[in-house]
Amino acid sequence: MIGKTNLFDFSGFDYKKDNFEASYYVTDPYLRESNTVHYNVERIKNYTKLTTADSYQFEAHNAAPDIKELVGRKGDWGISVYSYNSPWVLTASSSNMVRSTEDGGEAIVLDGDVVFVDPKDESNIKNMNIGSDGDPAVIDEQTASSTTTKNVSGAWSDENGVLLDLNGALVGGSYSGTINWNLTNSI
């Protein structure tokens, strides 16, 4: 089939049932029929899908002994949620940021945390590090059962969203960690 079609255009598609069987074939202009294809159809009532970039980075920063500031994101993190007839909640937690040594010595943990600064209330800063304050940070949510795609990270400014909160003296180098995203399609 070429182009888009609506499933309701097919005979045998019973949108009132959650599960049903359907069989289809096509004909050409000479009325020759293809093989018949049989389907077991399960209608999806609601659905959510999270999309993110393959990797994320924070801006580069110079090490300083008395540092205490938030470091911004680098690039587009590409976090979006597609929902079909579903409310949802997106939460996240983070591991420590760690720098491995080249000579096989002990890893160095960054004196800082990945945090979430709420775009609606920038005084609401939630620590995302695992075990830091018990619960993952609520990043965004949709309370209505609607069908939409929401660009979550596109709504963040340089002063809010997921940021890196540096606490003190730093050892220079590249640090890495993991952010765990959890999308729940209910409220």
Side-chain angles (χ1 to χ4, degrees):
M1 296 183 159
I2 299 174
K4 293 184 178 182
T5 187
N6 185 338
L7 287 178
F8 300 120
D9 294 340
F10 290 107
S11 63
F13 188 88
D14 191 345
Y15 62 91
K16 294 178 184 174
K17 292 183 180 177
D18 291 338
N19 298 296
F20 60 92
E21 293 180 9
S23 299
Y24 298 102
Y25 64 90
V26 294
T27 58
D28 68 10
Y30 303 103
L31 301 178
R32 294 180 290 200
E33 294 180 0
S34 69
N35 293 334
T36 301
V37 179
H38 303 280
Y39 292 98
N40 288 320
V41 179
E42 182 177 343
R43 185 171 67 96
I44 297 174
K45 293 181 181 180
N46 58 32
Y47 173 78
T48 56
K49 180 181 179 185
L50 175 65
T51 303
T52 66
D54 291 334
S55 63
Y56 328 106
Q57 292 183 343
F58 291 103
E59 292 289 339
H61 196 77
N62 293 327
D66 295 328
I67 194 165
K68 176 70 176 152
E69 63 183 72
L70 296 174
V71 176
R73 296 169 306 281
K74 181 178 181 181
D76 181 12
W77 285 26
I79 301 165
S80 65
V81 174
Y82 169 77
S83 63
Y84 170 74
N85 195 32
S86 181
W88 51 266
V89 175
L90 176 63
T91 60
S93 60
S94 171
S95 66
N96 287 325
M97 300 294 285
V98 177
R99 187 190 108 191
S100 298
T101 59
E102 293 178 14
D103 60 4
E106 245 182 82
I108 299 170
V109 176
L110 181 70
D111 186 11
D113 299 305
V114 177
V115 297
F116 179 72
V117 178
D118 190 337
K120 298 172 192 155
D121 177 9
E122 290 186 358
S123 66
N124 183 7
I125 300 174
K126 179 88 171 171
N127 191 332
M128 292 174 52
N129 280 34
I130 296 170
S132 62
D133 52 11
D135 296 323
V138 174
I139 304 299
D140 206 340
E141 65 184 344
Q142 175 178 290
T143 58
S145 292
S146 62
T147 300
T148 185
T149 299
K150 185 170 186 181
N151 182 353
V152 174
S153 58
W156 299 341
S157 73
D158 292 342
E159 290 81 32
N160 58 48
V162 177
L163 302 171
L164 184 60
D165 185 12
L166 300 177
N167 297 323
L170 299 173
V171 175
S174 280
Y175 291 78
S176 63
T178 302
I179 295 178
N180 299 303
W181 303 100
N182 184 30
L183 178 63
T184 305
N185 67 340
S186 64
I187 300 267

